[in-house]
Structure formats: C-alpha cells, structure tokens
Amino acid sequence: MNMSRRQRLRLVRGGIYALTIAALALLIVSVDWGALGGALFKWDVVKKQFPDILTSALRNTIIFTIFGFIGGLSLGLLLAIMRLSKSKPYRWFAASYIEILRGVPLLVTLLILGFGIPIATGWSWPNPYLQGAVPLALVAGAYIAETVRAGIEAVPRGQMEAARSLGMSYTRAMVTVIIPQAFRIIVPPLTNEFVLLIKDTSLISVLGVTERTLDLARFGRNGVNDSANATPLVVAGLVYLALTIPLTQLAAWMERRSKVGRR
Amino acid sequence: MSEPLVELRQLHKSFGNNHVLRGIDLSVAKGEVLCIIGPSGSGKSTLLRCVNLLEQPTGGQVFVAGVELTHRDCDIDKARRATGMVFQQFNLFSHLSVRDNVTISLRKVLKMKSTEANARADVLLNRVGLADKASAYPAQLSGGQQQRVAIARALAMEPSVMLFDEATSALDPELVGDVLGVMRELAEEGMTMLVVTHEMGFARNVADRVIFMDGGVIVEEGKPSQVINEPREERTKKFLANVLEN
C-alpha cells in the first residue's frame, strides 16, 4: 500500500478511538444502572447521612488531621534539625527514627501503639482522640522531617555564612534566617503531606474508637451496616474529595507561582 | 606603626590534600586599606574567610582587634562582631525587606529596640544611596543595589574592619562603579579594609598597600604604584600582563 507515515498514524489512532468507544458502549448497555445506582447512591440513604456526617464524622476527621499535623510538624522540624546536626548521636537517632517509622505501614504502627502497648503494659490511653492522633503524629513527623530537611538544604549556603558573619550563633541563624526561608520553599509539599494525613486518618477507624470519635471512614462503614447499602461509603468518599481536591489544587497553584517568582 | 588591627601568623589552611594557604604572615594597621590580588585558586578568598573564621585555619593564629580568634576559648560569635563581610553573591536575606536585612543583627544579636535599629538602618541606607528602597525586597533590586545593601548590613554592627570578597565580580559592568564608589567613600572615612579584588583601578587608586598572592603564599607586597606598575616578581608581572591586557 502507498501510505505516508502520517496517514498510517491517523489510521491507527482512529482504530484505537473506535475500539474504545465500542467497549464503552458495551459497558453502558450491559450494566444494570438502576441496580448499581440503588446500591451505591440511594437518595434516601444519602439524606440519612446528614447532618451527622458533617457535624460529627467530618469534625472528627478534621480534629485527627489537625492534631496529627501540628504534632508531626513540630516533631518533623526537630528531627530535621537533628539530622543536620554536627552531633553524631543526634544524626543517628533522627535517621533511625525516620527510617523505622517510614518503613512500617501506618496501619501496623497504629495497632502497636493503639492496642499493643496498652495490652502489654496495662496502661490505657487517657483520651480516645489521643489514641489515634498520637500515632498519626509520630508517623507524620518522620515524613515531614524529610521534607523540612530538603527545604533547609535548598537554602543557599551563603545565607548561613552571611548570618554567621554578622555575629549570629548557628542556632540563631537557623531560627531567624534559614528556617523561615526553608518554609517558603516547602509550603507546597507540606500541603501535600496535609492531604495525605487527611486520608490516613481513615486508618484510625481500626482502633474501634468510641461513638463520639467516629471519623468519616468509620462513619461510612457503620452506615453500610445500618442500611445494608454501600451509599454511606460513597458519600464519605465525596466528603474526602471535597477536602482534598481544593488543597491539592492550592498546592499546585503555589508551586506554579513559586516557579514564576524564582529568579 | 601602632598595634595592628588584623594580624595573621603562620596561617595554614588545607582542604583534604589541597594545601590552599601555606604559611601567611600579615598585619594590617588601623585605617589601612589592603587590596589582595592574584589568580583564581591562589588562596586569596580563603585568606579573607580565615580572618573571620568562616574557614577554620588548619594552622597558625588570627588576631582581630587584639582578640585571638583561633584560641580555643574564644567566643567566635562575639569576636566576629569586630568584622563585617561583603560577599561576591551578596547573600542578602531574601525573606526580609532591605531595612530588616540591615537591622536583623542589631535586633537579634545586640537586642537593640526596633526604633533604634531602624534609625541606624536609615542612616546607613542613606549613606549607600538607597534610602528610598528600605521597604523593597532583595529580589526587586539590581545586583549593584543589593551589594550596597549588603555593605550597609555589614556596617550596621559597627565593625572595626571590613572584609570584601570579590564584591564586584558578580555585577554587570555598568553597576560596578556604584559599589566601588561606596567602598572608596568608606576608605576615605578611615575604615580599615581588606579587599580581595580584580579591579586594578580600585587597587591602584584607593589601596594603601597591595599584596599579590599565588599558590597559597604572598609573592609580593608593597605600595600599589610599585606592585601594579613596577612588579618585581616574574609571577606578578605575568598575572598583571594578563589582567591589564583586557
């Protein structure tokens, strides 16, 4: 056949489009949409989720996220400074902490700290919120530490030298010159850490927290049990998206802006 | 001559196997302007950075204003206040306004009140011709303006000696003059200065003394007219022939 390269390419692409459309059409025809909609998005079940899903479940998810983030950020900052310290034991401690808590699945850490330690020691968590939020913060700290460290290392060396040449101590220079600039660099990745944390709070539901502290995921699961219908989980998923999509868009916007602003 | 303000004795500095400074003896009197010239890699920047211990010497002693910085009991953060340094890359704090760049060490190191620190900053910014840029951020300034802010920032701590590390090398040619002008005024006011530079015109007209370094040693030193116009050493002649050709 006498076809140019471009003609062949168009033919192949047209074939792929046609196949895709045919497959989609087959799917649309063969699925029983009424039954699927009834199982995943039934209006009267959707309505029953409100207002509790917002006033209780969303509120608890936000509480866990904020506690986890503030705790993780403080811990991450401390660990990052330790990792960059001149003292070998500090560096070693921070590096081991980060490696271990990033290497163990969050679910396992949650179970060890939430169940294992109370069972082994007879000690019990004074507050069901802490039982979920503390393990979350300890793990978030390990991830945030690496982000903060990258931020500190991205600040040009000359900034520290200039600060020291003005008579600032290492610590003073870190606090007044280096860390403020590092934070400007890491706001977008930190926003992404925050989004991950929102989603990770769903794992807290394995700890079988009390009625009062149900998060979005557990609320949805309980809703499934009550209604014998998957709609509550779909609604919970939509509420997660309502939280996470604006934040990831914000992070992407900040990243684009900082690229334009940098010289 | 009275007691020297800066004195280096048998200064050595190595980076691994690279022996950058090989026994430097140097003293600088109060009010003296010393220019340090030499090819790149000759150790002149390292020498300057050893004066305020940004580089830790591997041997020898450094004295500034009667204090031995290399002594193990020396409080280096306090001793550094006697020196002000200006860097090739300016190194202004990019998250702070021009005024805050000048006042930050006053407020954080000397614990001076903001009003007092701002008043001093305004005097200094006026002196370097940038009073109208006090609220600007470094990224909004030209290189020459940034470097003049950096000079004001270093002067804020009222150092007894100023160290200039190739302060004009990163600037566009048309901006060099403003910075050299500020440096010349500073010299005329009696500031003690150690200036690492490639600006032979500045060295010839402003310096009281010029030293030529090569291979980690001082090869030749003397009055600028002598070192630059009638160098005695072969290496100096060769370097100056290369530099002045351009």
Side-chain angles (χ1 to χ4, degrees):
Chain A
M1 241 194 299
N2 227 347
M3 261 201 286
S4 75
R5 232 180 97 79
R6 185 181 291 173
Q7 277 173 318
R8 262 206 311 274
L9 210 66
R10 274 171 65 182
L11 198 69
V12 169
R13 197 183 288 153
I16 291 173
Y17 289 164
L19 273 175
T20 312
I21 289 167
L24 272 175
L26 194 68
L27 191 72
I28 288 169
V29 173
S30 60
V31 169
D32 180 349
W33 289 102
L36 195 66
L40 289 180
F41 209 76
K42 208 170 171 185
W43 260 116
D44 55 322
V45 181
V46 171
K47 275 184 253 166
K48 237 190 276 173
Q49 306 306 308
F50 292 90
D52 282 4
I53 193 168
L54 298 182
T55 55
S56 169
L58 174 62
R59 181 173 153 269
N60 285 331
T61 289
I62 290 175
I63 289 174
F64 282 128
T65 307
I66 302 257
F67 267 111
F69 191 71
I70 291 173
L73 191 60
S74 321
L75 181 63
L77 189 57
L78 185 71
L79 286 167
I81 291 170
M82 285 172 84
R83 260 208 95 158
L84 295 168
S85 153
K86 282 190 196 109
S87 147
K88 229 177 184 167
Y90 282 166
R91 282 207 309 269
W92 185 85
F93 172 83
S96 323
Y97 182 98
I98 291 166
E99 284 304 311
I100 291 169
L101 281 144
R102 290 203 310 170
V104 175
L106 174 59
L107 183 60
V108 175
T109 307
L110 269 171
L111 289 171
I112 291 175
L113 294 175
F115 284 148
I117 298 217
I119 289 168
T121 60
W123 173 82
S124 64
W125 286 94
N127 175 314
Y129 281 112
L130 289 181
Q131 187 185 8
V134 168
L136 202 62
L138 292 177
V139 175
Y143 284 94
I144 291 175
E146 288 295 90
T147 305
V148 173
R149 182 175 71 110
I152 290 174
E153 285 177 339
V155 176
R157 233 178 93 94
Q159 296 286 307
M160 176 57 94
E161 291 184 346
R164 296 303 302 273
S165 79
L166 290 168
M168 292 188 203
S169 66
Y170 176 83
T171 312
R172 167 61 67 198
M174 260 316 201
V175 171
T176 55
V177 174
I178 307 299
I179 290 174
Q181 292 188 58
F183 266 89
R184 286 171 181 234
I185 299 170
I186 62 173
V187 165
L190 270 187
T191 310
N192 287 325
E193 300 277 357
F194 191 80
V195 169
L196 288 177
L197 208 57
I198 293 175
K199 295 186 290 172
D200 283 347
T201 56
S202 62
L203 289 170
I204 289 174
S205 65
V206 300
L207 294 178
V209 281
T210 62
E211 189 69 33
R212 195 162 57 87
T213 59
L214 289 183
D215 74 301
L216 277 170
R218 186 58 177 250
F219 183 88
R221 221 171 100 193
N222 288 1
V224 171
N225 291 342
D226 294 342
S227 63
N229 187 288
T231 303
L233 277 177
V234 174
V235 176
L238 290 175
V239 177
Y240 278 116
L241 286 179
L243 284 179
T244 54
I245 288 181
L247 282 170
T248 50
Q249 292 302 308
L250 178 69
W253 176 76
M254 285 188 295
E255 215 158 333
R256 279 198 303 275
R257 204 186 54 159
S258 77
K259 262 181 203 139
V260 172
R262 201 167 298 154
R263 301 185 169 216
Chain B
M1 216 190 281
S2 59
E3 174 157 316
L5 192 57
V6 176
E7 191 174 6
L8 311 177
R9 289 187 198 154
Q10 272 309 298
L11 196 69
H12 285 264
K13 173 68 186 177
S14 304
F15 296 100
N17 290 328
N18 188 9
H19 204 161
V20 179
L21 296 179
R22 299 166 179 263
I24 303 279
D25 287 294
L26 180 68
S27 39
V28 183
K30 188 170 173 355
E32 191 176 3
V33 176
L34 174 78
C35 279
I36 305 168
I37 61 172
S40 57
S42 59
K44 54 193 193 305
S45 279
T46 307
L47 172 71
L48 200 70
R49 290 161 59 84
C50 280
V51 174
N52 65 355
L53 250 64
L54 277 187
E55 299 292 354
Q56 181 74 42
T58 32
Q61 291 169 299
V62 176
F63 296 85
V64 175
V67 177
E68 188 192 343
L69 273 66
T70 39
H71 196 280
R72 54 218 266 273
D73 295 334
C74 175
D75 176 353
I76 186 64
D77 298 327
K78 200 167 172 203
R80 278 202 185 107
R81 295 182 204 165
T83 62
M85 190 165 211
V86 178
F87 300 85
Q88 184 177 351
Q89 298 297 338
F90 330 133
N91 297 347
L92 290 183
F93 304 135
S94 60
H95 63 305
L96 299 178
S97 70
V98 164
R99 183 184 280 118
D100 288 345
N101 262 280
V102 179
T103 59
I104 186 138
S105 56
L106 298 175
R107 288 179 286 124
K108 300 295 179 181
V109 178
L110 301 184
K111 311 290 178 198
M112 194 184 275
K113 283 204 190 89
S114 283
T115 48
E116 205 181 330
N118 285 341
R120 190 186 286 187
D122 289 345
V123 170
L124 288 166
L125 288 174
N126 200 27
R127 192 159 148 197
V128 298
L130 290 170
D132 55 328
K133 299 286 184 189
S135 314
Y137 279 81
Q140 299 167 312
L141 303 182
S142 73
Q145 291 171 332
Q146 289 191 51
Q147 194 61 299
R148 285 185 280 152
V149 174
I151 294 173
R153 176 178 70 174
L155 288 173
M157 295 294 281
E158 299 185 326
S160 39
V161 54
M162 285 286 284
L163 312 172
F164 291 87
D165 187 4
E166 300 200 24
T168 57
S169 298
L171 296 176
D172 291 336
E174 76 271 22
L175 303 176
V176 168
D178 289 345
V179 173
L180 289 182
V182 170
M183 289 168 66
R184 178 197 281 265
E185 276 172 31
L186 210 53
E188 282 163 2
E189 287 163 20
M191 176 59 80
T192 312
M193 295 162 59
L194 272 69
V195 184
V196 169
T197 188
H198 291 293
E199 297 291 336
M200 291 306 144
F202 181 84
R204 195 172 357 213
N205 297 326
V206 181
D208 299 307
R209 183 158 53 119
V210 170
I211 65 177
F212 171 74
M213 282 183 71
D214 193 16
V217 295
I218 296 174
V219 176
E220 183 163 358
E221 68 172 287
K223 292 248 164 244
S225 53
Q226 183 260 303
V227 176
I228 296 173
N229 298 344
E230 300 149 20
R232 279 186 279 252
E233 300 288 331
E234 268 318 301
R235 278 191 282 179
T236 320
K237 284 179 194 166
K238 215 173 142 202
F239 170 75
L240 286 167
N242 281 334
V243 172
L244 297 176
E245 210 171 84
N246 302 320

